[in-house]
Each structure stands twice: as C-alpha cells, then as structure tokens.
Amino acid sequence: MKQTRDHPMNQTRNETAVITPTARVTAARLAIRAARPRRLTSTLLWAAQIPLAAVFVFFGLNHLTGGGIYTVAGAAELAGAIGLLTPWLAGLAAAGLAAVMVGATIINVAGGGGLVFLTAPLCAVFVLLAYARRRQIKALWAAIRR
C-alpha cells in the first residue's frame, strides 16, 4: 500500500498543552496539600493557629483605629489572621506575622520596651509555625512561579 502525504502515519503535529489558570490553581492546591505535615503535627499546628488568629483579629481591629503606622500594622495583622485560617496560606501567613512581630519588637525596644515581653515570644511562635509549614510555603512558592 502506497502512503500519501495525507496519510495519518506521515502527519506530525507539534501540539502544545494549554494550561488554564484553573488547572494551575488545582495543581497548586494539590501540591500544597501533598506538602502538609503529618496528621498529629497538623492538628497541633491548627490548635495553635486558631487562637492566635482570634488574638490577631482583636489586635488588628484595635490598631486599625490608631491611624498612621498603626493602621498599616492593623491591616497586616488582620490579613495574617485570615491567612492563618486558610489552609494553603497558613505557613506564609505565619512567616508574615513573624515579620510583623519583628517590627513590633524593634519599635517596642526603641520606645521603652513596653510590650517586648509579648511581641518577642509571639515572633518566636510564628517563626516555629512557619518552619513547621515550610514544605507548604515551598510548594506555594513553586506554584506561584509557574
């Protein structure tokens, strides 16, 4: 049998996959879900994150009414509290709140040290939370870079 130019065996196509934004989000969520800590660790992290989120909603609302830098800090604290309650953002939110607490500690030390006893330990707790969720942070970063 003679093959012609139009025969399917002779045709080659360069097909490229089209990745939709929905497919990227789904892939990112699956990667982040696969990177989550073991069940007991996850339960302990959530047991810490939920009360901390409640505290930071309170702090954030109080700081929003302060004006100036307090408004910025309040917005960051509220965003961090919401992030702590969002499973795929929890690690990144903990890292962000650790940065906010570093700033708060520096401001408190420079201003007389009023709340250093509160901000420094909170910073340490958020660093530990972010460290415990570091695999999720890496998976989220990889998903964003795609």
Side-chain angles (χ1 to χ4, degrees):
M1 175 180 205
K2 184 178 176 186
Q3 292 182 351
T4 63
R5 289 174 68 103
D6 295 331
H7 192 272
M9 302 248 328
N10 290 338
Q11 293 178 354
T12 60
R13 294 187 297 194
N14 291 333
E15 295 183 16
T16 57
V18 176
I19 300 174
T20 64
T22 304
R24 282 184 185 210
V25 169
T26 301
R29 284 188 180 160
L30 290 174
I32 294 164
R33 184 175 294 151
R36 69 180 167 206
R38 287 185 239 158
R39 184 177 211 99
L40 177 61
T41 305
S42 184
T43 302
L44 293 173
L45 290 172
W46 282 109
Q49 286 171 210
I50 292 170
L52 283 168
V55 166
F56 272 83
V57 166
F58 176 74
F59 285 163
L61 291 175
N62 281 339
H63 285 147
L64 277 178
T65 59
I69 191 70
Y70 287 108
T71 303
V72 174
E77 290 166 351
L78 283 175
I82 292 167
L84 280 178
L85 298 175
T86 307
W88 55 280
L89 280 177
L92 195 59
L97 284 170
V100 169
M101 289 296 99
V102 166
T105 302
I106 291 169
I107 289 171
N108 283 325
V109 166
L115 293 175
V116 173
F117 71 91
L118 181 64
T119 58
L122 281 173
C123 180
V125 168
F126 286 123
V127 166
L128 290 173
L129 284 174
Y131 181 76
R133 294 197 179 274
R134 68 191 176 280
R135 290 179 48 210
Q136 286 181 305
I137 295 171
K138 287 179 184 178
L140 179 61
W141 180 250
I144 291 170
R145 287 189 358 190
R146 288 184 207 175

